[in-house]
Amino acid sequence: MSDCGFVYLVGAGPGDPKLLTLRALEVLQSADVVAHDELVSPAILEFVPAHVERLRVGRRHGSGKAAYRLHPIVLERARAGAVVARLKSGDPLIFGRGGEEAEELADAGIPYEIVPGVSAALGAAAYARIPLTHRNHATRVTFMTGHDAEALEAGSGETVVLFMAAHKLKANLDRLISAGRSPSLPAAYVVSATTTEQRVVVGTLGDLHERIGGIDPAAPALIIVGEVVALGARLAEVGRPSFDPEAAAGES
Ligand SMILES: C[S@@+](CC[C@H](N)C(=O)[O-])C[C@H]1O[C@@H](n2cnc3c(N)ncnc32)[C@H](O)[C@@H]1O
């Protein structure tokens, strides 16, 4: 352990271990402790050397309100001089509480670094071939959570990516409609993006909730809304998917 503790807030990417950055890999292989969210895929935890202490510290789906921003055990280890990698799904600063955790580290006087990761929004878009800002269809993209959906007024040429919106899917889709969008606007439900479990269900704002029967509502999912979704369905017809489950099975 080093004399002075240090915390890395590290983005693990959306699931496919090949989307982990080289910097994140370097940090995971040199830390004393890896404190990770439940959503971080087991394939990524395999990069952590066996001698490194692993702590599971996250709260899935933001459930439960805790009084702390950064888990107390992370602070405790850092204060004791450990180099801690706080590993978070996607990017730490996109709905990952990385900002709040950085504030707490700054308040505590503990040095830290933020290592960006590929957000699920970007992984899902690429692997489902939905071009978030194709110039003929969308000139802006908004990332938001399901319960904030009504706060965004409809605008033409927009793409909306909803995080944490799977649990109350119909209510979240209805909020977007109430804010002025057409029920016929294309919408996609991308579950377990970039992993071998990925599924993409395409529908409209009005009927997407009826199409996802059988998918585990607890699996991480994003809803992507906008004309680019229809384009994505066309782009997916040809070429090679970003993630080929058969090739991956052959590699293991
Ligand atoms: C607490 S947020 C963390 C977001 C993360 N920081 C990011 O940049 O992707 C968790 C939500 O991200 C989304 N998510 C994370 N990984 C995902 C994946 N592989 N496929 C689809 N959605 C995912 C889901 O909406 C999930 O409820």
Side-chain angles (χ1 to χ4, degrees):
M1 275 190 199
S2 61
D3 294 340
C4 175
F6 198 96
V7 176
Y8 292 92
L9 299 174
V10 185
D16 183 347
K18 289 184 179 168
L19 296 180
L20 194 70
T21 66
L22 290 177
R23 179 66 179 139
L25 184 61
E26 194 174 62
V27 168
L28 290 185
Q29 295 189 331
S30 61
D32 301 311
V33 180
V34 171
H36 64 91
D37 288 344
E38 202 182 323
L39 251 186
V40 172
S41 78
I44 285 175
L45 294 175
E46 279 180 21
F47 290 120
V48 180
H51 68 272
V52 172
E53 183 185 18
R54 289 184 200 189
L55 302 167
R56 198 189 256 207
V57 295
R59 285 155 295 166
R60 197 159 179 191
H61 303 306
S63 58
K65 294 241 183 287
Y68 54 83
R69 292 171 288 181
L70 187 61
H71 198 286
I73 200 163
V74 174
L75 281 180
E76 190 185 299
R77 292 290 192 279
R79 285 199 173 107
V83 173
V84 185
R86 174 70 181 93
L87 188 61
K88 307 170 84 68
S89 79
D91 180 88
L93 301 183
I94 297 186
F95 302 122
R97 298 174 193 252
E100 293 89 324
E101 297 193 0
E103 278 181 318
E104 186 146 358
L105 289 165
D107 290 349
I110 296 170
Y112 68 95
E113 179 183 320
I114 301 176
V115 180
V118 175
S119 175
L122 305 185
Y127 282 42
R129 301 199 194 180
I130 298 174
L132 296 177
T133 62
H134 186 293
R135 61 186 295 186
N136 296 336
H137 301 271
T139 53
R140 64 191 161 112
V141 58
T142 303
F143 296 163
M144 61 196 311
T145 64
H147 55 262
D148 291 326
E150 66 198 339
L152 185 68
E153 279 185 26
S156 61
E158 64 163 4
T159 302
V160 178
V161 181
L162 292 185
F163 286 73
M164 296 176 272
H167 279 297
K168 294 182 180 162
L169 179 61
K170 184 170 181 338
N172 290 322
L173 296 173
D174 284 348
R175 286 194 180 108
L176 289 172
I177 295 171
S178 313
R181 288 169 193 81
S182 164
S184 63
L185 196 60
Y189 188 92
V190 188
V191 65
S192 300
T194 81
T195 74
T196 48
E197 313 294 314
Q198 173 173 303
R199 283 189 60 192
V200 182
V201 179
V202 175
T204 63
L205 268 187
D207 72 8
L208 190 63
H209 65 283
E210 293 167 0
R211 293 174 179 255
I212 58 153
I215 294 182
D216 177 3
L222 289 172
I223 290 91
I224 305 180
V225 180
E227 296 296 341
V228 291
V229 170
L231 188 61
R234 188 164 69 76
L235 294 178
E237 282 169 15
V238 283
R240 199 165 65 91
S242 304
F243 188 90
D244 180 346
E246 285 177 25
E251 279 170 19
S252 59

